[in-house]
Amino acid sequence: MTSASAAPKAARRQHDREIIALAVPAFGALVAEPLFVMADSAIVGHLGTAQLAGLGVASALLTTAVSVFVFLAYATTAAVARRVGAGDLQAAIRQGMDGIWLALLLGAAVIAVVLPTAPALVDLFGASDTAAPYAITYLRISSLGIPAMLVVLASTGVLRGLQDTKTPLYVAIGGFVANGVLNVGLVYGAGLGIAGSAWGTVIAQCAMAAVYLFVVVRGARRHGASLRPDAAGIRACAQAGAPLLVRTLSLRAILMIATAVAARLGDADVAAHQIILSLWSLLAFALDAIAIAGQAIIGRYLGANDAQGARDVCRRMVQWGIASGVALGVLVVLARPLFIPLFSSDSVVQDAALPALVVVAISQPICGIVYVLDGVLMGAGDGPYLAWAMLATLAVFAPVALLVPTFGGGLTAIWAAMTLMMAVRMATLWMRTRSGNWIVTGATR
């Protein structure tokens, strides 16, 4: 009896150690991205409401331009982790190099699109006449850093797949510090305004990409993996990421719809929306730390043909996700009066943001489950299902959000619609994990 009951406890402790070892450093690295936006928001917000509103629109567009290619990190993590589980490190790193080359190609293509179309993109978001010039300036300058941002994504995926989340943490800390110093110096010291904030972010991202390339190239040489671009490998990497691209495009469409609706409510509402979206992104990345651990661990278990281990760690991570969501929700409620004044002294902006933050707090336990299950299915390489599930979620969210200006409720109603969106995602992901159809073992799916 004692031995039998001790076995599950020992297994849970082992899973907890694995999750913590990967998730804690991953949390620090993941929050770097929203912290970049939050730092920009805090610095630019004190230039004026129009500048902050412009940053809100430009940041949503820029984040969309980069985040649609997040499969460079997620698909690479799963594929590399499977090969690590199978004991083939050379093939794992070679696959990661294909992802990095694909990132450079995609980055160049995105710049070519964004630079000439920046005014039209900003106008599409419904930015006001006062906010639009600032949005265009920030978007055009920041787009120059997109190749570096994509290289960071792909390189991070390689290291996560190799069960290394500490190196991304160190790089993220350095990048965040550099971004903050550069932004303050260029915005206020050099008097460049919102353009200085954009240049500071570009420089910081390029420095981060350079560090990642050094680390990955060193690992490739150690294990005898080729550094040359391989057309077949790059094409295979793109094909594997296609379902996740559809999934991410659907998610970005949801966020863009929310920002576009907020922009049509007025400068104060879109400024408040930018503040809340920055916090929501920070909370999302915090919860996603467990999902990142899940991607790496699930991929490794499946690569090692351990289906039961994959099931057990999935169950344990869901428990972690729920507990973390509850804790974050309570923290948001308690910190509301202190958080908002950091980003805007405008009382109208503050009044719009306060009730919406309550909705965000309530949704956090749901978010905890969603991000964990999303990570589990990504780690299993179950991209096609994730794509269809997110398309269904978009179909539910879009009409609800677009009706907000008609039926009223303001920014609070927009974030209620966002909570509905997360609930739909939870339902679709839960059904898939319960079915067991995501479990496919072996070095490749």
Side-chain angles (χ1 to χ4, degrees), residues 11-25 163 165 289-290 292-294 296-298 300-301 306 309-310 312-314 316-317 320:
R12 284 197 299 270
R13 285 195 295 269
Q14 179 186 349
H15 293 321
D16 288 345
R17 285 193 296 268
E18 288 182 322
I19 293 168
I20 292 171
L22 291 172
V24 172
Q163 317 294 297
T165 56
I290 305 171
I292 293 300
I297 296 171
I298 291 291
R300 194 185 77 234
Y301 273 109
D306 188 353
D312 292 342
V313 77
C314 171
R316 190 58 176 164
M317 282 187 295
W320 274 78

Side-chain angles (χ1 to χ4, degrees), residues 37-426:
V37 178
M38 290 175 70
D40 289 357
S41 299
I43 294 168
V44 172
H46 292 287
L47 294 175
T49 299
Q51 287 90 334
L52 182 59
L55 174 64
V57 172
S59 292
L61 285 164
L62 182 66
T63 303
T64 298
V66 174
S67 295
V68 292
F69 302 115
V70 74
F71 71 83
L72 291 166
Y74 292 160
T76 302
T77 297
V80 171
R82 274 184 179 268
R83 294 190 180 276
V84 168
D88 193 349
L89 289 177
Q90 184 183 67
I93 297 177
R94 174 63 258 182
Q95 194 155 15
M97 288 302 306
D98 292 335
I100 291 174
W101 281 110
L102 178 61
L104 289 170
L105 293 173
L106 291 173
V110 173
I111 289 179
V113 172
V114 172
L115 281 179
T117 61
L121 291 172
V122 169
D123 182 64
L124 181 65
F125 259 60
S128 68
D129 291 339
T130 55
Y134 298 110
I136 294 169
T137 297
Y138 189 91
L139 180 61
R140 277 183 164 158
I141 296 172
S142 294
S143 68
L144 300 177
I146 287 176
M149 297 178 192
L150 298 189
V151 167
V152 167
L153 285 177
S155 302
T156 301
V158 177
L159 296 180
R160 288 173 183 165
L162 294 171
Q163 317 294 297
D164 176 12
T165 56
K166 290 183 179 179
T167 299
L169 170 61
Y170 302 145
V171 177
I173 291 173
F176 174 70
V177 172
N179 180 69
V181 172
L182 287 166
N183 270 259
V184 172
L186 294 174
V187 172
Y188 297 113
L192 296 180
I194 196 170
S197 177
W199 280 117
T201 300
V202 169
I203 295 170
Q205 291 285 355
C206 288
M208 291 172 66
V211 174
Y212 272 119
L213 286 175
F214 173 79
V215 173
V216 173
V217 168
R218 184 180 60 184
R221 287 174 174 167
R222 182 185 305 123
H223 294 286
S226 174
L227 298 175
R228 295 179 180 179
D230 176 67
I234 293 172
R235 186 166 54 252
C237 184
Q239 290 172 346
L244 290 181
L245 176 61
V246 173
R247 170 254 181 205
T248 304
L249 283 171
S250 301
L251 178 58
R252 296 313 308 178
I254 288 170
L255 298 179
M256 290 175 70
I257 289 170
T259 299
V261 172
R264 283 166 172 76
L265 297 177
D267 282 359
D269 283 288
V270 75
H273 178 73
Q274 171 62 18
I275 294 171
I276 297 172
L277 189 60
S278 297
L279 175 63
W280 191 77
S281 298
L282 176 61
L283 296 171
F285 279 106
L287 293 170
D288 208 26
I290 305 171
I292 293 300
Q295 290 176 31
I297 296 171
I298 291 291
R300 194 185 77 234
Y301 273 109
L302 294 178
N305 296 308
D306 188 353
Q308 187 57 49
R311 290 189 186 92
D312 292 342
V313 77
C314 171
R315 187 179 305 110
R316 190 58 176 164
M317 282 187 295
V318 169
Q319 295 170 355
W320 274 78
I322 295 171
S324 299
V326 170
L328 289 174
V330 172
L331 183 61
V332 169
V333 171
L334 295 177
R336 275 189 312 151
L338 302 175
F339 175 78
I340 297 176
L342 293 175
F343 296 91
S344 177
S345 56
D346 189 328
S347 61
V348 178
V349 174
Q350 294 180 8
D351 290 342
L354 279 170
L357 277 179
V358 175
V359 177
V360 171
I362 293 171
S363 71
Q364 289 312 295
I366 296 174
C367 294
I369 297 172
V370 167
Y371 286 108
V372 166
L373 295 182
D374 207 39
V376 167
L377 296 184
M378 284 185 185
D382 201 15
Y385 180 83
L386 290 171
W388 284 111
M390 191 59 74
L391 284 170
T393 302
L394 173 60
V396 173
F397 171 81
V400 175
L402 293 173
L403 287 173
V404 167
T406 302
F407 290 98
L411 195 62
T412 303
I414 293 175
W415 282 95
M418 291 287 285
T419 301
L420 171 65
M421 177 270 294
M422 294 302 290
V424 174
R425 289 185 69 189
M426 182 179 68

